[in-house]
Amino acid sequence: MTGRTTARAHHSPAAAAFLHKVGPFFAGHEVTGGPLAVATLVALICTNTAFAGTFENFWDTDFTLAFGGSGVSHSLAEWIDHALLPLFFVIIGADVKREIVGGALSRWRTAAFPLAGAIGGMVVPVLLFLAITHGRPEAVGWGTVVTMDTAFGLALIALFSDRLPAGVRALMLAFAAVDDVGGLLVIAFAYTESIDWRGLVVAAGALGGIIGLRRLGWVSSVPYVVLAMVLWGGVFESGVHATIAGVLIGLTVPVTPRLDQGKFAERVQRRIDEFQKAHRTAEESDDQDEAMEAQQKAEDRLGYLQEMTSATNVTSGRVIETLTPWVTYVVLPLFALSNVRIHFSAELLGAVTSPLVLGIVAGLAVGKPLGFMSFTWIASLLGFAERPDKVTWPMVAAIGALAGIGFTISLFIAGLAFGDSEMRETASLGVLIASLVSAAVGYAVLRRDANKVAETGTA
């Protein structure tokens, strides 16, 4: 808490306790789910009032980017899905790489743990969904239960971050990254009518260029930004959902500094001494020419020190820090506003017991935790995987429960599977119910684990 917040806590303990609880949902160094939840509520209100038509028509308005005789035209909602949402996956890719290279998943067995869970978290939900909708038109929507919503899950984990080991968040991130990639592949190959391979070739070339510059030790960020845009454009033009470009870009971001602290200390000490000497000469010399020469030398040494200091920074940290507020307060809320379209009615509420809703709820709220838990347990039993340090099986169960929150990409896939038909709204209702149930269960399990750790030091 800030000093002002700490002071106010003395006057209003109840308010301070409330802000402490809701804070992780709206502020922090990581992507949070509070603004997304508020935007979802606003979208639900707008789509169920007299302003519904105006509200939806706004997001369906075509926006065209044209140059000369050629141009690209999509609705505002589609531009948000393809141009803004990938920024969220850049963060996911960079964060997961950081954990794999030097974090809680740096050993191959601990990295295999979320991989096994992600496979189970995709296979089991789909099987449950198809078991309920088999032979019915609703079966085409099986992709809605493949992937999870990372922002909400991370926000709930952040509520207890001071009482849970860091491996819990790392495990959630890694699981979510593999799970999201699986969802994007489903979009690409199951819900994409045609793929333009020329776009994929362009994207592959841009990706190769980024990797090549990394190997050459290229420092300037301009070529990387240009190649990242080309990579995004190639994926977008290919017909594959552009969010997969975000994951690829995130995975190429460096997670180690160009210069470690030991080498930094060795290289800069002499330049610091030279800077101090030149600066002193510039201030004390009565000879104007000598003073100007010394000042120039001091500025030269200062520039060297600044460049060497920047070399100790980790690029991934800078990228994540820059993108996080934009993703939290702009990208994800805009996605919810443009994609959440559930018109509550007696007919829709009557569909709660329909095979489509039951299939989605079973797939997400039951299949996700069941698949995650069973596959990680089997992989651990066979010696292929290992839980991260200090992460217990109850904590793994909590992550599995949170995985049932399938919001952003689930709603997007529902739109691809059912178009603008009534089944899309029914599917969205199922996703909403499953997400609420999973969030409640995940919160309850996390709270139990966190309280037990606080009381006994073990879960």
Side-chain angles (χ1 to χ4, degrees):
M1 292 190 292
T2 63
R4 179 179 295 181
T5 304
T6 303
R8 288 178 177 176
H10 295 289
H11 304 291
S12 180
F18 173 76
L19 292 174
H20 179 72
K21 289 182 179 180
V22 302
F25 275 96
F26 292 93
H29 301 294
E30 305 159 0
V31 175
T32 57
L36 175 60
V38 172
T40 300
L41 181 60
V42 170
L44 289 173
I45 293 174
C46 290
T47 53
N48 287 276
T49 63
F51 303 103
T54 303
F55 179 76
E56 294 177 15
N57 288 335
F58 172 77
W59 297 113
D60 290 335
T61 302
D62 285 338
F63 182 79
T64 302
L65 293 178
F67 183 79
S70 60
V72 179
S73 181
H74 292 281
S75 68
L76 290 177
E78 290 173 329
W79 279 115
I80 292 170
D81 294 345
H82 291 279
L84 295 184
L85 197 58
L87 295 176
F88 176 46
F89 288 91
V90 171
I91 294 177
I92 296 298
D95 221 340
V96 169
K97 182 179 179 181
R98 182 169 59 182
E99 293 295 341
I100 291 176
V101 172
L105 305 175
S106 56
R107 292 177 296 172
W108 72 268
R109 286 187 177 178
T110 54
F113 191 87
L115 176 61
I119 294 173
M122 289 184 281
V123 173
V124 175
V126 171
L127 292 178
L128 285 177
F129 179 87
L130 293 177
I132 295 174
T133 61
H134 178 69
R136 303 177 62 91
E138 294 91 335
V140 71
W142 60 269
T144 56
V145 299
V146 168
T147 189
M148 62 180 288
D149 189 282
T150 312
F152 281 127
L154 290 178
L156 287 170
I157 289 176
L159 289 173
F160 310 100
S161 59
D162 58 339
R163 288 177 283 170
L164 294 173
V168 173
R169 182 178 182 275
L171 184 56
M172 178 72 169
L173 273 173
F175 172 46
V178 180
D179 187 81
D180 287 333
V181 170
L184 298 177
L185 292 176
V186 168
I187 293 172
F189 295 104
Y191 295 105
T192 300
E193 295 182 0
S194 60
I195 296 178
D196 186 346
W197 293 100
R198 293 173 298 179
L200 292 182
V201 170
V202 171
L207 181 62
I210 293 174
I211 295 173
L213 289 177
R214 283 284 319 281
R215 292 188 175 277
L216 291 174
W218 196 275
V219 176
S220 174
S221 61
V222 175
Y224 293 106
V225 173
V226 172
L227 287 171
M229 294 178 65
V230 173
L231 171 57
W232 170 84
V235 174
F236 179 56
E237 188 64 26
S238 71
V240 177
H241 197 269
T243 46
I244 199 169
V247 175
L248 294 174
I249 293 170
L251 291 174
T252 63
V253 176
V255 295
T256 55
R258 290 182 283 118
L259 186 68
D260 61 42
Q261 295 181 357
K263 292 182 178 179
F264 173 80
E266 293 176 3
R267 296 184 182 184
V268 302
Q269 186 59 58
R270 181 170 62 87
R271 301 303 174 101
I272 292 176
D273 295 338
E274 292 175 352
F275 167 77
Q276 291 177 330
K277 182 179 179 181
H279 179 67
R280 190 181 305 111
T281 301
E283 287 190 334
E284 298 175 355
S285 177
D286 295 329
D287 188 326
Q288 185 175 4
D289 292 336
E290 183 183 29
M292 290 183 61
E293 183 179 352
Q295 180 64 29
Q296 180 62 40
K297 184 175 182 180
E299 292 178 358
D300 176 73
R301 298 303 184 267
L302 184 61
Y304 177 87
L305 293 173
Q306 289 175 334
E307 178 60 31
M308 296 300 285
T309 301
S310 66
T312 63
N313 296 328
V314 180
T315 304
S316 63
R318 186 169 67 250
V319 169
I320 293 173
E321 183 180 356
T322 301
L323 292 180
T324 292
W326 288 99
V327 169
T328 297
Y329 301 111
V330 179
V331 175
L332 293 181
L334 284 177
F335 175 86
L337 290 171
S338 60
N339 281 271
V340 177
R341 302 186 184 187
I342 304 176
H343 302 87
F344 292 109
S345 63
E347 183 179 357
L348 180 62
L349 294 177
V352 169
T353 57
S354 67
L356 181 55
V357 172
L358 293 177
I360 291 175
V361 172
L364 289 174
V366 179
K368 279 289 185 182
L370 179 61
F372 184 67
M373 282 293 294
S374 60
F375 274 59
T376 52
W377 181 79
I378 293 172
S380 299
L381 187 65
L382 297 176
F384 297 143
E386 180 182 342
R387 280 177 291 128
D389 291 340
K390 300 181 181 180
V391 175
T392 64
W393 281 112
M395 295 175 187
V396 174
I399 295 173
L402 294 177
I405 306 175
F407 201 73
T408 48
I409 302 300
S410 292
L411 291 176
F412 179 75
I413 293 178
L416 295 178
F418 302 114
D420 293 326
S421 66
E422 293 182 1
M423 281 196 288
R424 176 182 181 177
E425 286 198 46
T426 304
S428 298
L429 178 63
V431 171
L432 182 62
I433 294 173
S435 298
L436 291 174
V437 171
S438 298
V441 174
Y443 173 82
V445 179
L446 276 177
R447 183 176 182 180
R448 175 262 178 197
D449 292 342
N451 289 340
K452 194 167 183 180
V453 169
E455 293 172 1
T456 66
T458 58

